[in-house]
Amino acid sequence: AMGNWLVNHWFSAAVLAAWLGINIFLFTYYFLFFDQDDRYFYTRAILGSALAWARASAKCLNFNSMLILLPVCRNLLSFLRGTCSCCRRTLRKQLDHNLTFHKLVAYALALLTAVHTIAHLFNLERYNQSQQATDGSLPAVLSKMHLQDNKWLNPIHSNETTVEYMAFTTIPGLTGVIITLALILMVTSSTEFIRRNYFEVFWYTHHLFLVYFAGLVIHGIAGLVRGQTEQSMAEVHPHRCAQYLTQGDQNCTHNCCKDPEFGSIPAESWKWVLAPIILYVFERILRVWRAQQKVVVTKVVMHPARVLELQMQKKGFRMEVGQYIFVNCPAISPLEWHPFTLTSAPEEDFFSIHIRMAGDWTERLIDTFQSEMPRIEVDGPFGTASEDVFQYEVAMLVGAGIGVTPFASILKSIWYKFQQGDQTLKTKKIYFYWLCRDTGAFAWFNDLLASLEQKMAESGKADFLTYRLFLTGWDTSIANNVALHFDTATDTVTGLRQKTIFGRPMWNTEFAAVAAAHPRSVVGVFLCGPGALAKSLQKSCHQHSSLDPRKVKFYFNKENF
């Protein structure tokens, strides 16, 4: 399985390895540099190894801050995906892991920020102790050098200064506090739970990235951490002269009479983040431009369980199965863009989305459409097409909960291709499994299945699609209802011809049945749902694939929606 993963995800693995490698290299290289370089001999006399910890983590923070914006330039990624349309599909698909990489970089930023902050708290404490020391030790002597012009090494110049005072009144201290708070808020508000249930909280908090980058660029300007200047090194090298500093000779006879002089480390964060910031500005301009293009809402359908279907048209809009769009409704909020999976097929002369109530914004949108026709802006489509489905003669599609949405597009498209005798369609048989806590929220999908079922029966192709619905959460009222209507031709929960099964699917039984029905086929297994389900499907694919190359093989594909 590991080998399989590497074959399919070699690009992701390469990016991951390169990213980790560069981080490790930067950290190690700069740690050793600041831990051993003679220019920081005196700085280390005061700070010890905390200097190296702070500087090495700073380099890695700059590197990751440079990367964090790139994965969210979605138009840029679409463009890249378009230009590498000649590349293998596996490579194009891996550009869809952009948000996974974005999260990974964010976690690295959080970890490095902790290291950097803790190291600097140690540094401030040591600067403070050295300033207050009167024992004539090297740190104490170095800390008193601020009495003469620009020679200072210790940024704390008075005994009254506290660590808290430094943290809130100096530029590095204050920007550091602000950046860290912005980062904490962004990371905590982007958990799955908040994104799913309080999208607005996530959306607005994430715009603190503006504060983060502004703070980052200013953060190092004051140059509080200093090292010995090149000129001073040539005149009074620490290896030669450090010993004399603590002696306090008045009438100097050796060639180390001059005090060492120190200079700041120049601010350099801006060099790292300038290019990505410019790219991101382009990205935002492009989004605004694309959003200005007129969208015509051709049909509004209100489905049961407050699900709104919008059918739209936009000049030059071309979609593929499995793609998604971002939608904005200026009447509700000019700033909020929400992602929705397309539920129409490319063969249709419109594109559609189904919006269920899942938060303030969706609730307001549904209410607005019931009374008027507000203006809608659309950005997209994005994402790689799920065209792999058409490449297998037998396809097993598994949708769980909201994960059923992309399959609306896929099932419709397969049906159109099948009817038109499309040569690119290899599919002869589809098994569709839908796992759902309650079918109420997805009544619109029932309608879709029912109409497909009817069309297939009318054209004598009723056996093209076999679907099974699994109701995983059900209460006694449903159970009683089922018991009453056990003999009816259609299902009591969905009104479809195929009965709903209560409980979870027994995957071993399902796979064994498919393997028995198609002993010589290659079967594509597609999941749009949670990770735990992916594991058990992958295991079943492995167990039920025959070792004999002429017999049944199951291939697992997980979509990222």
Side-chain angles (χ1 to χ4, degrees):
M2 185 65 190
N4 228 344
W5 186 89
L6 280 171
V7 171
N8 288 329
H9 298 83
W10 61 270
F11 180 73
S12 299
V15 168
L16 200 61
W19 173 75
L20 261 176
I22 293 170
N23 269 304
I24 291 166
F25 167 77
L26 282 174
F27 196 92
T28 314
Y29 179 85
Y30 283 101
F31 189 93
L32 293 173
F33 175 79
F34 281 97
D35 207 45
Q36 287 166 8
D37 192 275
D38 289 335
R39 273 170 291 185
Y40 301 99
F41 179 89
Y42 290 123
T43 321
R44 282 193 301 276
I46 299 179
L47 301 178
S49 65
L51 170 73
W53 282 100
R55 298 307 302 170
S57 55
K59 290 289 175 193
C60 292
L61 279 165
N62 282 334
F63 171 62
N64 286 289
S65 298
M66 174 179 86
L67 296 180
I68 194 89
L69 285 177
L70 299 178
V72 288
C73 292
R74 46 173 197 253
N75 284 298
L76 189 78
L77 288 171
S78 264
F79 175 72
L80 274 177
R81 203 183 279 113
T83 52
C84 71
S85 53
C86 48
C87 329
R88 284 193 40 216
R89 205 165 168 281
T90 45
L91 178 64
R92 297 211 307 280
K93 258 198 112 33
Q94 286 166 66
L95 287 171
D96 290 346
H97 296 318
N98 58 331
L99 291 182
T100 311
F101 185 62
H102 176 73
K103 288 176 198 166
L104 193 66
V105 173
Y107 292 135
L109 282 174
L111 177 72
L112 291 162
T113 299
V115 173
H116 188 70
T117 308
I118 291 166
H120 271 321
L121 286 173
F122 273 104
N123 287 339
L124 280 175
E125 195 47 57
R126 285 181 183 156
Y127 273 142
N128 209 16
Q129 285 169 358
S130 308
Q131 164 61 29
Q132 296 184 0
T134 50
D135 55 1
S137 62
L138 185 56
V141 173
L142 290 167
S143 298
K144 299 289 176 286
M145 281 188 177
H146 59 84
L147 303 172
Q148 307 130 17
D149 52 31
N150 200 25
K151 292 181 182 170
W152 63 272
L153 176 60
N154 188 335
I156 298 182
H157 296 167
S158 103
N159 285 359
E160 281 72 61
T161 310
T162 61
V163 171
E164 292 77 24
Y165 178 83
M166 289 294 285
F168 290 102
T169 59
T170 60
I171 291 177
L174 192 58
T175 53
V177 169
I178 292 169
I179 293 172
T180 307
L181 283 175
L183 192 67
I184 289 169
L185 286 169
M186 282 190 285
V187 172
T188 50
S189 68
S190 54
T191 57
E192 180 89 7
F193 176 77
I194 290 181
R195 274 204 332 275
R196 288 254 178 263
N197 299 294
Y198 307 98
F199 188 84
E200 293 83 358
V201 174
F202 157 72
W203 179 258
Y204 287 116
T205 312
H206 241 63
H207 281 77
L208 285 170
F209 82 91
L210 296 165
V211 174
Y212 176 87
F213 279 101
L216 187 71
V217 169
I218 303 167
H219 185 61
I221 279 176
L224 292 194
V225 177
R226 311 185 86 183
Q228 197 173 352
T229 59
E230 292 293 346
Q231 191 190 348
S232 174
M233 292 279 290
E235 291 171 355
V236 284
H237 197 283
H239 285 193
R240 228 182 41 243
C241 304
Q243 53 194 17
Y244 297 112
L245 267 181
T246 46
Q247 292 171 8
D249 253 352
Q250 288 309 310
N251 32 7
C252 170
T253 50
H254 48 77
N255 59 354
C256 288
C257 303
K258 251 182 124 173
D259 275 344
E261 294 191 12
F262 304 100
S264 296
I265 301 169
E268 55 164 41
S269 293
W270 65 272
K271 293 179 193 168
W272 290 83
V273 298
L274 186 65
I277 287 174
I278 291 170
L279 272 177
Y280 189 74
V281 168
F282 268 117
E283 162 75 21
R284 291 305 279 241
I285 292 168
L286 197 56
R287 283 187 201 178
V288 170
W289 176 74
R290 285 180 69 157
Q292 296 312 311
Q293 296 162 329
K294 193 171 169 21
V295 176
V296 182
V297 179
T298 52
K299 192 176 179 188
V300 179
V301 185
M302 197 66 213
H303 292 280
R306 283 177 74 75
V307 172
L308 177 76
E309 179 184 353
L310 295 181
Q311 295 184 4
M312 296 166 279
Q313 285 173 331
K314 179 180 177 180
K315 201 174 152 196
F317 187 94
R318 281 198 310 279
M319 67 158 289
E320 297 174 84
V321 283
Q323 289 191 307
Y324 61 94
I325 57 173
F326 277 84
V327 176
N328 168 279
C329 178
I332 297 172
S333 162
L335 295 173
E336 280 183 51
W337 289 84
H338 291 251
F340 293 97
T341 302
L342 289 162
T343 51
S344 48
E347 290 81 0
E348 292 172 310
D349 61 353
F350 61 85
F351 60 96
S352 69
I353 53 174
H354 283 72
I355 301 165
R356 73 184 177 123
M357 214 170 71
D360 302 345
W361 188 88
T362 44
E363 189 175 354
R364 298 217 303 275
L365 186 77
I366 291 168
D367 290 342
T368 310
F369 265 101
Q370 283 175 319
S371 55
E372 54 171 311
M373 283 284 267
R375 187 165 71 89
I376 287 286
E377 294 177 353
V378 166
D379 188 15
F382 298 108
T384 306
S386 320
E387 282 166 341
D388 288 2
V389 182
F390 310 139
Q391 306 303 316
Y392 296 92
E393 48 195 88
V394 180
M396 289 172 77
L397 312 179
V398 183
I402 187 81
V404 79
T405 316
F407 289 126
S409 176
I410 293 169
L411 288 171
K412 276 197 225 172
S413 189
I414 289 179
W415 175 244
Y416 283 120
K417 286 187 190 325
F418 188 65
Q419 269 190 316
Q420 293 157 7
D422 190 321
Q423 294 309 304
T424 59
L425 182 74
K426 298 197 175 83
T427 320
K428 304 276 183 289
K429 173 76 186 172
I430 292 176
Y431 292 92
F432 179 62
Y433 304 86
W434 179 15
L435 289 66
C436 204
R437 274 212 193 92
D438 68 296
T439 50
F442 303 101
W444 63 270
F445 198 79
N446 288 343
D447 300 347
L448 175 88
L449 280 177
S451 78
L452 273 177
E453 195 172 47
Q454 197 181 343
K455 283 177 193 163
M456 286 176 192
E458 282 166 9
S459 52
K461 308 266 172 51
D463 54 351
F464 177 64
L465 170 70
T466 300
Y467 58 86
R468 302 167 76 86
L469 312 184
F470 294 88
L471 205 59
T472 53
W474 55 301
D475 54 27
T476 44
S477 64
I478 297 180
N480 294 336
N481 193 18
V482 171
L484 279 174
H485 299 278
F486 194 73
D487 307 327
T488 50
T490 57
D491 187 75
T492 55
V493 180
T494 60
L496 292 164
R497 291 202 183 102
Q498 299 195 9
K499 301 267 183 183
T500 302
I501 300 155
F502 295 95
R504 299 190 174 281
M506 307 292 285
W507 289 119
N508 273 340
T509 320
E510 301 296 340
F511 273 80
V514 173
H518 309 276
R520 295 184 178 281
S521 293
V522 174
V523 182
V525 180
F526 294 85
L527 165 70
C528 190
L533 190 53
K535 281 202 181 79
S536 57
L537 285 176
Q538 212 157 5
K539 201 167 137 197
S540 299
C541 283
H542 207 63
Q543 282 172 347
H544 292 273
S545 289
S546 167
L547 291 172
D548 184 337
R550 291 162 304 181
K551 294 198 175 151
V552 70
K553 282 266 179 301
F554 289 92
Y555 284 104
F556 179 71
N557 302 265
K558 183 183 186 304
E559 288 294 349
N560 274 359
F561 293 103

